[in-house]
Every structure is written in C-alpha cells, then in structure tokens.
C-alpha cells in the first residue's frame, strides 16, 4: 500500500475476519463440559452469585495472582521505552537500537515463554521462578540507570536482550501461579478474570504516567519510570514469597484439593 493508513486498515479487516471465522469454528468444535451432576441428568444448581463474586474479590489468591501479572506486565510496558532511552539518553544509534528491539521482541517472544515453562516444570514452582525473574529484572534496570553515555554497544545488547528474555519468561508462566493457590474450580474463571483486570491495569495509567514524566522531566523521566518499575518488581518478589507461604498454609489446613 502506498499510504500507511491503507495497510493498517487491511490488517484490521483481516484480523476481524479471522476472529469471526475462528470464533464460529470454536463454537462448533469446543465441547460444552458438564459437571458430574449434569452428566447424570441432574440439574446443577450451583451457580455464581454476588456473594461468590465478593468472595473472589476478597480472596488472597486473586490478589496474589493479580500482583504476579501486574509485576511482569509493567515490565513489558517499560520495555517499550528502552529504545528511545538508549537513543536519546545513552547516545545509541536509532538503527542499532531498532534492530536489537526487533530481535528482543519477536525472537525472545518465541524463546522466553517455553524456557520459563521448562524452568517451572524443572523447579516445580512458578512462584520461585518468578522470584528469580523479578530479581534479575531489578538488577538489569539498576544497570540501565548506572550506564553512562557512550557505554560499549555490547552492554546495550546484553541489557535489552536480557529484558526481553525475562519479560517473556514471566509472561509464559504468571498464570501458572494459580496452580499453587489451589483455587476452587467453582471460582477459577472469576478469580483469573479479576486478577487479569488487576494485572493489566498498567494499560490504563502507565503510558500516560510515563508520558507525563518524559514531557515534564525529559531524560530524567526515564529514571522515574525505571524506579517505578523496580518498585513494582519488588512488590512482585514479596507477592511470590507470600504465594509460597499461602500454599504451605493451605496444604497444612488440608485445603489443597478443594
């Protein structure tokens, strides 16, 4: 397309058509799972009520899962500002940082999630893997804050690729935290839904907040953004530690299989 607007319009139309096609296919292909009572011809009267939803909102499991998503997703949002930070603050070239950004975003998207899943299966705990991801991310951000202008390019490459790997590792396993919280089946979907609303809330405020910092403080705004991210990751560390404590508490109380 000669005009960029035409290309964007074509992409949107294609996504819309494919979404309708696959939605129709899913309607006929995916089976409607029934509860044991319904399978025996008995009407299952157990349905979610307002009281149940309030239970989900008050449950520690909902907030633990939401915090796990929030900590990783804020890092994904912050990652989008690394390219302008390197070019405008650290003095890197636009072409170089753009190429590394493409490799980080598209290459490590394919590698990070499977690797995170492999580590989780190997260690046996998504919360423990997330703690490692949070700490490594904090260390990388601190390195970014300490890098002077004119730093060797291989350091830029290492930092940007490390961030990409950590973010996609975290994205691949943060929902797996639910498996450690022994969420009752009745509340599973509602818990994940509320946790996702909490976890993806940076879409609402973080971009405007980062824009305000950058417009008001210019290069120093990146420092505020990275400090905010370090705080979010630190909260994630404490959240994962509490998840492990909460898991032990449920096992001790014999609620692991409820």
């Amino acid at each position: 397309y000669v005009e960029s607007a035409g290309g964007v319009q074509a992409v949107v139309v294609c996504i819309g058509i494919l979404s309708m096609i696959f939605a129709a296919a899913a309607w006929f292909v995916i089976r409607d799972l029934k509860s044991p009572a319904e399978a025996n011809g008995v009407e299952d009267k157990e349905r979610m009520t307002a009281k149940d939803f309030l239970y989900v909102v008050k449950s520690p499991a909902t907030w633990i899962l939401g915090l796990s998503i929030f900590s990783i997703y804020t890092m994904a949002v912050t990652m989008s500002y690394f390219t302008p930070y390197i070019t405008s603050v650290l003095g890197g070239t636009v072409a170089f940082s753009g190429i590394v950004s493409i490799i980080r975003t598209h290459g490590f998207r394919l590698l990070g999630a499977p690797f995170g899943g492999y580590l989780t299966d190997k260690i046996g705990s998504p919360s423990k893997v997330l703690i490692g991801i949070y700490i490594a991310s904090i260390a990388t951000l601190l390195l970014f804050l300490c890098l002077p202008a004119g730093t060797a390019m291989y350091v830029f490459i290492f930092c940007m690729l490390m961030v990409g790997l950590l973010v996609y590792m975290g994205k691949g396993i943060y929902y797996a935290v639910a498996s450690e919280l022994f969420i009752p089946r009745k509340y599973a979907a509602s818990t994940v839904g509320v946790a996702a609303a909490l976890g993806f809330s940076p879409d609402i405020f973080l971009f405007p907040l980062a824009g305000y910092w950058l417009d008001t403080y210019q290069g120093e705004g990146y420092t505020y953004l990275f400090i905010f991210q370090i705080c979010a990751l630190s909260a994630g560390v404490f959240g994962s530690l509490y998840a492990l404590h909460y898991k032990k508490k449920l096992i001790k109380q014999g609620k692991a299989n409820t």
Side-chain angles (χ1 to χ4, degrees), residues 180-228:
E180 292 192 295
L181 304 176
F182 305 115
I183 301 168
R185 181 180 176 182
K186 176 182 178 180
Y187 304 119
S190 297
T191 299
V192 172
V194 175
L198 297 170
F200 295 114
S201 61
D203 276 338
I204 300 174
F205 69 87
L206 189 51
F207 287 107
L209 182 61
Y212 168 77
W213 281 334
L214 295 176
D215 289 341
T216 306
Y217 304 104
Q218 284 75 50
E220 191 178 353
Y222 290 104
T223 301
Y224 296 142
L225 177 60
F226 293 162
I227 291 175
F228 172 84

mmCIF file of all heavy atoms in Angstrom, residues 180-228:
data_model
loop_
_atom_site.group_PDB
_atom_site.id
_atom_site.type_symbol
_atom_site.label_atom_id
_atom_site.label_comp_id
_atom_site.label_asym_id
_atom_site.label_seq_id
_atom_site.Cartn_x
_atom_site.Cartn_y
_atom_site.Cartn_z
ATOM 1 N N GLU A 180 -0.659 -23.009 42.211
ATOM 2 C CA GLU A 180 -0.107 -23.103 43.566
ATOM 3 C C GLU A 180 -1.060 -22.563 44.622
ATOM 4 O O GLU A 180 -0.797 -22.695 45.823
ATOM 5 C CB GLU A 180 1.209 -22.321 43.647
ATOM 6 C CG GLU A 180 2.341 -22.933 42.845
ATOM 7 C CD GLU A 180 3.679 -22.308 43.182
ATOM 8 O OE1 GLU A 180 3.847 -21.108 42.909
ATOM 9 O OE2 GLU A 180 4.545 -23.020 43.704
ATOM 10 N N LEU A 181 -2.139 -21.949 44.187
ATOM 11 C CA LEU A 181 -3.046 -21.299 45.121
ATOM 12 C C LEU A 181 -4.282 -22.142 45.416
ATOM 13 O O LEU A 181 -5.136 -21.731 46.199
ATOM 14 C CB LEU A 181 -3.470 -19.931 44.561
ATOM 15 C CG LEU A 181 -2.302 -18.991 44.225
ATOM 16 C CD1 LEU A 181 -2.823 -17.705 43.593
ATOM 17 C CD2 LEU A 181 -1.482 -18.674 45.472
ATOM 18 N N PHE A 182 -4.393 -23.293 44.744
ATOM 19 C CA PHE A 182 -5.481 -24.245 44.986
ATOM 20 C C PHE A 182 -6.843 -23.557 44.960
ATOM 21 O O PHE A 182 -7.645 -23.679 45.896
ATOM 22 C CB PHE A 182 -5.273 -24.976 46.317
ATOM 23 C CG PHE A 182 -3.939 -25.658 46.414
ATOM 24 C CD1 PHE A 182 -3.002 -25.245 47.349
ATOM 25 C CD2 PHE A 182 -3.608 -26.694 45.562
ATOM 26 C CE1 PHE A 182 -1.765 -25.862 47.437
ATOM 27 C CE2 PHE A 182 -2.374 -27.318 45.641
ATOM 28 C CZ PHE A 182 -1.454 -26.912 46.581
ATOM 29 N N ILE A 183 -7.093 -22.829 43.888
ATOM 30 C CA ILE A 183 -8.359 -22.105 43.739
ATOM 31 C C ILE A 183 -9.474 -23.106 43.452
ATOM 32 O O ILE A 183 -9.347 -23.940 42.551
ATOM 33 C CB ILE A 183 -8.259 -21.087 42.587
ATOM 34 C CG1 ILE A 183 -7.127 -20.094 42.877
ATOM 35 C CG2 ILE A 183 -9.575 -20.363 42.386
ATOM 36 C CD1 ILE A 183 -6.760 -19.229 41.690
ATOM 37 N N PRO A 184 -10.569 -23.067 44.200
ATOM 38 C CA PRO A 184 -11.688 -23.982 43.915
ATOM 39 C C PRO A 184 -12.171 -23.827 42.476
ATOM 40 O O PRO A 184 -12.204 -22.723 41.939
ATOM 41 C CB PRO A 184 -12.768 -23.534 44.917
ATOM 42 C CG PRO A 184 -12.007 -22.887 46.028
ATOM 43 C CD PRO A 184 -10.829 -22.221 45.370
ATOM 44 N N ARG A 185 -12.543 -24.950 41.869
ATOM 45 C CA ARG A 185 -12.958 -24.934 40.465
ATOM 46 C C ARG A 185 -14.111 -23.961 40.229
ATOM 47 O O ARG A 185 -14.175 -23.301 39.194
ATOM 48 C CB ARG A 185 -13.363 -26.346 40.045
ATOM 49 C CG ARG A 185 -13.799 -26.448 38.597
ATOM 50 C CD ARG A 185 -14.175 -27.875 38.243
ATOM 51 N NE ARG A 185 -14.689 -27.960 36.879
ATOM 52 C CZ ARG A 185 -15.127 -29.089 36.324
ATOM 53 N NH1 ARG A 185 -15.113 -30.217 37.036
ATOM 54 N NH2 ARG A 185 -15.581 -29.097 35.093
ATOM 55 N N LYS A 186 -15.014 -23.881 41.204
ATOM 56 C CA LYS A 186 -16.178 -23.014 41.053
ATOM 57 C C LYS A 186 -15.766 -21.558 40.842
ATOM 58 O O LYS A 186 -16.445 -20.802 40.143
ATOM 59 C CB LYS A 186 -17.054 -23.130 42.298
ATOM 60 C CG LYS A 186 -18.260 -22.207 42.313
ATOM 61 C CD LYS A 186 -19.055 -22.354 43.597
ATOM 62 C CE LYS A 186 -20.233 -21.385 43.631
ATOM 63 N NZ LYS A 186 -21.013 -21.507 44.881
ATOM 64 N N TYR A 187 -14.639 -21.149 41.465
ATOM 65 C CA TYR A 187 -14.218 -19.752 41.414
ATOM 66 C C TYR A 187 -13.055 -19.517 40.442
ATOM 67 O O TYR A 187 -12.551 -18.400 40.364
ATOM 68 C CB TYR A 187 -13.782 -19.284 42.810
ATOM 69 C CG TYR A 187 -14.836 -19.464 43.873
ATOM 70 C CD1 TYR A 187 -14.589 -20.278 44.978
ATOM 71 C CD2 TYR A 187 -16.064 -18.830 43.781
ATOM 72 C CE1 TYR A 187 -15.548 -20.447 45.968
ATOM 73 C CE2 TYR A 187 -17.026 -18.999 44.759
ATOM 74 C CZ TYR A 187 -16.775 -19.800 45.850
ATOM 75 O OH TYR A 187 -17.718 -19.960 46.821
ATOM 76 N N ALA A 188 -12.613 -20.540 39.734
ATOM 77 C CA ALA A 188 -11.388 -20.432 38.940
ATOM 78 C C ALA A 188 -11.475 -19.337 37.880
ATOM 79 O O ALA A 188 -10.588 -18.477 37.775
ATOM 80 C CB ALA A 188 -11.074 -21.777 38.288
ATOM 81 N N ALA A 189 -12.533 -19.347 37.076
ATOM 82 C CA ALA A 189 -12.646 -18.383 35.977
ATOM 83 C C ALA A 189 -12.790 -16.953 36.508
ATOM 84 O O ALA A 189 -12.161 -16.021 35.983
ATOM 85 C CB ALA A 189 -13.831 -18.734 35.087
ATOM 86 N N SER A 190 -13.611 -16.774 37.533
ATOM 87 C CA SER A 190 -13.805 -15.441 38.100
ATOM 88 C C SER A 190 -12.521 -14.922 38.730
ATOM 89 O O SER A 190 -12.189 -13.736 38.612
ATOM 90 C CB SER A 190 -14.914 -15.464 39.153
ATOM 91 O OG SER A 190 -16.147 -15.815 38.575
ATOM 92 N N THR A 191 -11.778 -15.812 39.386
ATOM 93 C CA THR A 191 -10.512 -15.410 40.008
ATOM 94 C C THR A 191 -9.519 -14.931 38.963
ATOM 95 O O THR A 191 -8.890 -13.881 39.108
ATOM 96 C CB THR A 191 -9.904 -16.577 40.805
ATOM 97 O OG1 THR A 191 -10.814 -16.963 41.845
ATOM 98 C CG2 THR A 191 -8.573 -16.178 41.413
ATOM 99 N N VAL A 192 -9.383 -15.705 37.886
ATOM 100 C CA VAL A 192 -8.462 -15.313 36.817
ATOM 101 C C VAL A 192 -8.920 -14.016 36.155
ATOM 102 O O VAL A 192 -8.101 -13.154 35.823
ATOM 103 C CB VAL A 192 -8.338 -16.445 35.773
ATOM 104 C CG1 VAL A 192 -7.532 -15.971 34.567
ATOM 105 C CG2 VAL A 192 -7.679 -17.673 36.394
ATOM 106 N N GLY A 193 -10.227 -13.860 35.983
ATOM 107 C CA GLY A 193 -10.744 -12.638 35.361
ATOM 108 C C GLY A 193 -10.451 -11.395 36.181
ATOM 109 O O GLY A 193 -9.976 -10.382 35.644
ATOM 110 N N VAL A 194 -10.710 -11.461 37.481
ATOM 111 C CA VAL A 194 -10.436 -10.307 38.351
ATOM 112 C C VAL A 194 -8.932 -10.056 38.430
ATOM 113 O O VAL A 194 -8.477 -8.904 38.377
ATOM 114 C CB VAL A 194 -11.020 -10.542 39.759
ATOM 115 C CG1 VAL A 194 -10.633 -9.393 40.697
ATOM 116 C CG2 VAL A 194 -12.541 -10.661 39.686
ATOM 117 N N ALA A 195 -8.149 -11.137 38.545
ATOM 118 C CA ALA A 195 -6.690 -10.991 38.619
ATOM 119 C C ALA A 195 -6.138 -10.369 37.336
ATOM 120 O O ALA A 195 -5.226 -9.540 37.386
ATOM 121 C CB ALA A 195 -6.042 -12.351 38.868
ATOM 122 N N ALA A 196 -6.699 -10.753 36.190
ATOM 123 C CA ALA A 196 -6.246 -10.186 34.924
ATOM 124 C C ALA A 196 -6.578 -8.696 34.839
ATOM 125 O O ALA A 196 -5.788 -7.899 34.326
ATOM 126 C CB ALA A 196 -6.880 -10.939 33.754
ATOM 127 N N ALA A 197 -7.758 -8.316 35.353
ATOM 128 C CA ALA A 197 -8.119 -6.897 35.368
ATOM 129 C C ALA A 197 -7.127 -6.092 36.198
ATOM 130 O O ALA A 197 -6.726 -4.984 35.822
ATOM 131 C CB ALA A 197 -9.536 -6.728 35.913
ATOM 132 N N LEU A 198 -6.717 -6.663 37.329
ATOM 133 C CA LEU A 198 -5.710 -6.004 38.159
ATOM 134 C C LEU A 198 -4.343 -6.000 37.472
ATOM 135 O O LEU A 198 -3.647 -4.988 37.444
ATOM 136 C CB LEU A 198 -5.605 -6.718 39.513
ATOM 137 C CG LEU A 198 -6.842 -6.714 40.403
ATOM 138 C CD1 LEU A 198 -6.650 -7.659 41.593
ATOM 139 C CD2 LEU A 198 -7.124 -5.300 40.906
ATOM 140 N N GLY A 199 -3.981 -7.145 36.911
ATOM 141 C CA GLY A 199 -2.651 -7.291 36.337
ATOM 142 C C GLY A 199 -2.404 -6.441 35.119
ATOM 143 O O GLY A 199 -1.293 -5.924 34.921
ATOM 144 N N PHE A 200 -3.430 -6.268 34.276
ATOM 145 C CA PHE A 200 -3.269 -5.489 33.055
ATOM 146 C C PHE A 200 -3.694 -4.035 33.211
ATOM 147 O O PHE A 200 -3.780 -3.299 32.221
ATOM 148 C CB PHE A 200 -4.047 -6.146 31.905
ATOM 149 C CG PHE A 200 -3.515 -7.505 31.533
ATOM 150 C CD1 PHE A 200 -4.266 -8.638 31.733
ATOM 151 C CD2 PHE A 200 -2.243 -7.640 31.005
ATOM 152 C CE1 PHE A 200 -3.776 -9.895 31.411
ATOM 153 C CE2 PHE A 200 -1.730 -8.886 30.668
ATOM 154 C CZ PHE A 200 -2.499 -10.021 30.871
ATOM 155 N N SER A 201 -3.936 -3.618 34.450
ATOM 156 C CA SER A 201 -4.317 -2.227 34.696
ATOM 157 C C SER A 201 -3.256 -1.206 34.278
ATOM 158 O O SER A 201 -3.616 -0.035 34.054
ATOM 159 C CB SER A 201 -4.659 -2.032 36.185
ATOM 160 O OG SER A 201 -3.533 -2.323 37.007
ATOM 161 N N PRO A 202 -1.958 -1.569 34.154
ATOM 162 C CA PRO A 202 -0.992 -0.579 33.649
ATOM 163 C C PRO A 202 -1.354 -0.002 32.284
ATOM 164 O O PRO A 202 -0.934 1.113 31.963
ATOM 165 C CB PRO A 202 0.314 -1.376 33.581
ATOM 166 C CG PRO A 202 0.187 -2.374 34.672
ATOM 167 C CD PRO A 202 -1.266 -2.775 34.658
ATOM 168 N N ASP A 203 -2.154 -0.727 31.497
ATOM 169 C CA ASP A 203 -2.613 -0.177 30.216
ATOM 170 C C ASP A 203 -3.412 1.101 30.431
ATOM 171 O O ASP A 203 -3.480 1.958 29.537
ATOM 172 C CB ASP A 203 -3.484 -1.202 29.477
ATOM 173 C CG ASP A 203 -2.651 -2.190 28.680
ATOM 174 O OD1 ASP A 203 -1.492 -1.863 28.349
ATOM 175 O OD2 ASP A 203 -3.160 -3.289 28.380
ATOM 176 N N ILE A 204 -4.015 1.240 31.600
ATOM 177 C CA ILE A 204 -4.858 2.399 31.879
ATOM 178 C C ILE A 204 -4.028 3.607 32.297
ATOM 179 O O ILE A 204 -4.275 4.729 31.847
ATOM 180 C CB ILE A 204 -5.895 2.064 32.972
ATOM 181 C CG1 ILE A 204 -6.799 0.907 32.522
ATOM 182 C CG2 ILE A 204 -6.723 3.290 33.332
ATOM 183 C CD1 ILE A 204 -7.748 0.426 33.595
ATOM 184 N N PHE A 205 -3.011 3.382 33.140
ATOM 185 C CA PHE A 205 -2.340 4.534 33.743
ATOM 186 C C PHE A 205 -0.856 4.676 33.429
ATOM 187 O O PHE A 205 -0.318 5.779 33.499
ATOM 188 C CB PHE A 205 -2.499 4.466 35.273
ATOM 189 C CG PHE A 205 -1.729 3.355 35.929
ATOM 190 C CD1 PHE A 205 -0.406 3.534 36.314
ATOM 191 C CD2 PHE A 205 -2.321 2.119 36.165
ATOM 192 C CE1 PHE A 205 0.306 2.511 36.926
ATOM 193 C CE2 PHE A 205 -1.614 1.092 36.769
ATOM 194 C CZ PHE A 205 -0.294 1.300 37.142
ATOM 195 N N LEU A 206 -0.169 3.578 33.070
ATOM 196 C CA LEU A 206 1.283 3.669 32.993
ATOM 197 C C LEU A 206 1.762 4.457 31.777
ATOM 198 O O LEU A 206 2.718 5.235 31.877
ATOM 199 C CB LEU A 206 1.906 2.268 32.995
ATOM 200 C CG LEU A 206 3.429 2.228 33.143
ATOM 201 C CD1 LEU A 206 3.896 3.068 34.331
ATOM 202 C CD2 LEU A 206 3.919 0.788 33.293
ATOM 203 N N PHE A 207 1.105 4.297 30.640
ATOM 204 C CA PHE A 207 1.515 5.064 29.464
ATOM 205 C C PHE A 207 1.316 6.568 29.675
ATOM 206 O O PHE A 207 2.232 7.357 29.387
ATOM 207 C CB PHE A 207 0.769 4.577 28.214
ATOM 208 C CG PHE A 207 1.234 3.244 27.703
ATOM 209 C CD1 PHE A 207 0.453 2.113 27.858
ATOM 210 C CD2 PHE A 207 2.467 3.120 27.069
ATOM 211 C CE1 PHE A 207 0.883 0.875 27.390
ATOM 212 C CE2 PHE A 207 2.912 1.895 26.595
ATOM 213 C CZ PHE A 207 2.113 0.773 26.757
ATOM 214 N N PRO A 208 0.135 6.996 30.177
ATOM 215 C CA PRO A 208 0.002 8.434 30.469
ATOM 216 C C PRO A 208 0.989 8.914 31.526
ATOM 217 O O PRO A 208 1.520 10.031 31.423
ATOM 218 C CB PRO A 208 -1.449 8.560 30.961
ATOM 219 C CG PRO A 208 -2.154 7.383 30.397
ATOM 220 C CD PRO A 208 -1.144 6.282 30.371
ATOM 221 N N LEU A 209 1.247 8.098 32.536
ATOM 222 C CA LEU A 209 2.178 8.481 33.591
ATOM 223 C C LEU A 209 3.594 8.623 33.040
ATOM 224 O O LEU A 209 4.292 9.612 33.341
ATOM 225 C CB LEU A 209 2.154 7.443 34.716
ATOM 226 C CG LEU A 209 3.053 7.713 35.924
ATOM 227 C CD1 LEU A 209 2.663 9.022 36.601
ATOM 228 C CD2 LEU A 209 2.974 6.550 36.913
ATOM 229 N N ALA A 210 4.019 7.660 32.231
ATOM 230 C CA ALA A 210 5.356 7.734 31.629
ATOM 231 C C ALA A 210 5.455 8.944 30.699
ATOM 232 O O ALA A 210 6.475 9.647 30.671
ATOM 233 C CB ALA A 210 5.655 6.454 30.862
ATOM 234 N N GLY A 211 4.379 9.204 29.936
ATOM 235 C CA GLY A 211 4.380 10.373 29.064
ATOM 236 C C GLY A 211 4.506 11.670 29.833
ATOM 237 O O GLY A 211 5.222 12.590 29.409
ATOM 238 N N TYR A 212 3.821 11.752 30.971
ATOM 239 C CA TYR A 212 3.913 12.949 31.808
ATOM 240 C C TYR A 212 5.344 13.136 32.316
ATOM 241 O O TYR A 212 5.892 14.244 32.280
ATOM 242 C CB TYR A 212 2.934 12.846 32.973
ATOM 243 C CG TYR A 212 3.162 13.891 34.047
ATOM 244 C CD1 TYR A 212 2.754 15.207 33.856
ATOM 245 C CD2 TYR A 212 3.811 13.552 35.236
ATOM 246 C CE1 TYR A 212 2.980 16.167 34.837
ATOM 247 C CE2 TYR A 212 4.042 14.501 36.209
ATOM 248 C CZ TYR A 212 3.623 15.815 36.003
ATOM 249 O OH TYR A 212 3.870 16.764 36.970
ATOM 250 N N TRP A 213 5.945 12.052 32.815
ATOM 251 C CA TRP A 213 7.316 12.144 33.321
ATOM 252 C C TRP A 213 8.288 12.581 32.230
ATOM 253 O O TRP A 213 9.151 13.431 32.457
ATOM 254 C CB TRP A 213 7.749 10.791 33.888
ATOM 255 C CG TRP A 213 7.207 10.514 35.257
ATOM 256 C CD1 TRP A 213 6.842 11.433 36.196
ATOM 257 C CD2 TRP A 213 6.966 9.226 35.837
ATOM 258 N NE1 TRP A 213 6.385 10.794 37.330
ATOM 259 C CE2 TRP A 213 6.462 9.453 37.151
ATOM 260 C CE3 TRP A 213 7.136 7.916 35.399
ATOM 261 C CZ2 TRP A 213 6.121 8.393 37.997
ATOM 262 C CZ3 TRP A 213 6.799 6.874 36.246
ATOM 263 C CH2 TRP A 213 6.297 7.121 37.524
ATOM 264 N N LEU A 214 8.134 12.025 31.042
ATOM 265 C CA LEU A 214 9.071 12.346 29.956
ATOM 266 C C LEU A 214 8.859 13.769 29.438
ATOM 267 O O LEU A 214 9.821 14.456 29.095
ATOM 268 C CB LEU A 214 8.913 11.337 28.821
ATOM 269 C CG LEU A 214 9.305 9.889 29.173
ATOM 270 C CD1 LEU A 214 9.022 8.958 28.000
ATOM 271 C CD2 LEU A 214 10.771 9.817 29.559
ATOM 272 N N ASP A 215 7.606 14.198 29.363
ATOM 273 C CA ASP A 215 7.329 15.563 28.906
ATOM 274 C C ASP A 215 7.786 16.602 29.929
ATOM 275 O O ASP A 215 8.255 17.682 29.567
ATOM 276 C CB ASP A 215 5.833 15.745 28.643
ATOM 277 C CG ASP A 215 5.364 14.987 27.407
ATOM 278 O OD1 ASP A 215 6.223 14.635 26.576
ATOM 279 O OD2 ASP A 215 4.147 14.738 27.285
ATOM 280 N N THR A 216 7.652 16.265 31.199
ATOM 281 C CA THR A 216 7.972 17.225 32.258
ATOM 282 C C THR A 216 9.449 17.250 32.605
ATOM 283 O O THR A 216 10.036 18.324 32.793
ATOM 284 C CB THR A 216 7.161 16.915 33.531
ATOM 285 O OG1 THR A 216 5.762 16.868 33.200
ATOM 286 C CG2 THR A 216 7.400 17.975 34.600
ATOM 287 N N TYR A 217 10.060 16.066 32.658
ATOM 288 C CA TYR A 217 11.442 15.971 33.142
ATOM 289 C C TYR A 217 12.440 15.528 32.071
ATOM 290 O O TYR A 217 13.615 15.334 32.368
ATOM 291 C CB TYR A 217 11.510 14.993 34.321
ATOM 292 C CG TYR A 217 10.587 15.363 35.452
ATOM 293 C CD1 TYR A 217 9.395 14.666 35.656
ATOM 294 C CD2 TYR A 217 10.894 16.407 36.313
ATOM 295 C CE1 TYR A 217 8.544 14.997 36.706
ATOM 296 C CE2 TYR A 217 10.042 16.755 37.356
ATOM 297 C CZ TYR A 217 8.869 16.049 37.541
ATOM 298 O OH TYR A 217 8.022 16.386 38.569
ATOM 299 N N GLN A 218 11.963 15.342 30.813
ATOM 300 C CA GLN A 218 12.812 14.904 29.702
ATOM 301 C C GLN A 218 13.591 13.624 30.062
ATOM 302 O O GLN A 218 12.986 12.668 30.504
ATOM 303 C CB GLN A 218 13.772 16.026 29.273
ATOM 304 C CG GLN A 218 13.110 17.125 28.471
ATOM 305 C CD GLN A 218 12.249 18.055 29.308
ATOM 306 O OE1 GLN A 218 12.697 18.552 30.348
ATOM 307 N NE2 GLN A 218 11.034 18.308 28.884
ATOM 308 N N GLY A 219 14.892 13.643 29.918
ATOM 309 C CA GLY A 219 15.670 12.431 30.158
ATOM 310 C C GLY A 219 15.548 11.885 31.564
ATOM 311 O O GLY A 219 15.607 10.669 31.792
ATOM 312 N N GLU A 220 15.367 12.762 32.524
ATOM 313 C CA GLU A 220 15.222 12.315 33.910
ATOM 314 C C GLU A 220 13.926 11.537 34.120
ATOM 315 O O GLU A 220 13.803 10.758 35.068
ATOM 316 C CB GLU A 220 15.260 13.518 34.847
ATOM 317 C CG GLU A 220 15.378 13.156 36.321
ATOM 318 C CD GLU A 220 15.464 14.382 37.211
ATOM 319 O OE1 GLU A 220 15.556 15.505 36.664
ATOM 320 O OE2 GLU A 220 15.446 14.216 38.442
ATOM 321 N N GLY A 221 12.969 11.717 33.214
ATOM 322 C CA GLY A 221 11.709 10.983 33.323
ATOM 323 C C GLY A 221 11.906 9.478 33.225
ATOM 324 O O GLY A 221 11.161 8.703 33.838
ATOM 325 N N TYR A 222 12.916 9.047 32.447
ATOM 326 C CA TYR A 222 13.207 7.615 32.367
ATOM 327 C C TYR A 222 13.638 7.069 33.723
ATOM 328 O O TYR A 222 13.325 5.926 34.069
ATOM 329 C CB TYR A 222 14.302 7.353 31.335
ATOM 330 C CG TYR A 222 13.879 7.586 29.909
ATOM 331 C CD1 TYR A 222 14.276 8.728 29.217
ATOM 332 C CD2 TYR A 222 13.086 6.662 29.241
ATOM 333 C CE1 TYR A 222 13.896 8.948 27.906
ATOM 334 C CE2 TYR A 222 12.690 6.864 27.925
ATOM 335 C CZ TYR A 222 13.101 8.016 27.262
ATOM 336 O OH TYR A 222 12.725 8.217 25.968
ATOM 337 N N THR A 223 14.360 7.869 34.478
ATOM 338 C CA THR A 223 14.782 7.440 35.811
ATOM 339 C C THR A 223 13.573 7.177 36.696
ATOM 340 O O THR A 223 13.507 6.161 37.405
ATOM 341 C CB THR A 223 15.673 8.511 36.468
ATOM 342 O OG1 THR A 223 16.814 8.741 35.633
ATOM 343 C CG2 THR A 223 16.122 8.064 37.853
ATOM 344 N N TYR A 224 12.580 8.085 36.653
ATOM 345 C CA TYR A 224 11.362 7.891 37.433
ATOM 346 C C TYR A 224 10.620 6.630 36.979
ATOM 347 O O TYR A 224 10.086 5.881 37.805
ATOM 348 C CB TYR A 224 10.440 9.103 37.308
ATOM 349 C CG TYR A 224 11.023 10.374 37.877
ATOM 350 C CD1 TYR A 224 10.812 11.600 37.255
ATOM 351 C CD2 TYR A 224 11.783 10.352 39.035
ATOM 352 C CE1 TYR A 224 11.347 12.767 37.773
ATOM 353 C CE2 TYR A 224 12.320 11.512 39.569
ATOM 354 C CZ TYR A 224 12.095 12.715 38.929
ATOM 355 O OH TYR A 224 12.635 13.865 39.459
ATOM 356 N N LEU A 225 10.595 6.411 35.662
ATOM 357 C CA LEU A 225 9.919 5.233 35.120
ATOM 358 C C LEU A 225 10.597 3.952 35.593
ATOM 359 O O LEU A 225 9.933 2.995 36.014
ATOM 360 C CB LEU A 225 9.907 5.288 33.593
ATOM 361 C CG LEU A 225 9.285 4.089 32.862
ATOM 362 C CD1 LEU A 225 7.825 3.915 33.269
ATOM 363 C CD2 LEU A 225 9.415 4.253 31.356
ATOM 364 N N PHE A 226 11.916 3.926 35.555
ATOM 365 C CA PHE A 226 12.652 2.728 35.969
ATOM 366 C C PHE A 226 12.534 2.502 37.474
ATOM 367 O O PHE A 226 12.454 1.354 37.932
ATOM 368 C CB PHE A 226 14.120 2.839 35.561
ATOM 369 C CG PHE A 226 14.339 2.811 34.068
ATOM 370 C CD1 PHE A 226 15.526 3.252 33.522
ATOM 371 C CD2 PHE A 226 13.353 2.357 33.207
ATOM 372 C CE1 PHE A 226 15.740 3.227 32.148
ATOM 373 C CE2 PHE A 226 13.543 2.331 31.833
ATOM 374 C CZ PHE A 226 14.735 2.776 31.296
ATOM 375 N N ILE A 227 12.518 3.580 38.242
ATOM 376 C CA ILE A 227 12.353 3.434 39.696
ATOM 377 C C ILE A 227 10.963 2.876 40.009
ATOM 378 O O ILE A 227 10.812 2.003 40.877
ATOM 379 C CB ILE A 227 12.575 4.782 40.403
ATOM 380 C CG1 ILE A 227 14.056 5.187 40.317
ATOM 381 C CG2 ILE A 227 12.131 4.706 41.862
ATOM 382 C CD1 ILE A 227 14.352 6.558 40.880
ATOM 383 N N PHE A 228 9.948 3.379 39.310
ATOM 384 C CA PHE A 228 8.603 2.836 39.482
ATOM 385 C C PHE A 228 8.591 1.347 39.169
ATOM 386 O O PHE A 228 7.977 0.544 39.888
ATOM 387 C CB PHE A 228 7.609 3.574 38.577
ATOM 388 C CG PHE A 228 6.236 2.948 38.547
ATOM 389 C CD1 PHE A 228 5.304 3.256 39.523
ATOM 390 C CD2 PHE A 228 5.888 2.053 37.546
ATOM 391 C CE1 PHE A 228 4.041 2.672 39.511
ATOM 392 C CE2 PHE A 228 4.633 1.459 37.525
ATOM 393 C CZ PHE A 228 3.713 1.772 38.508
#
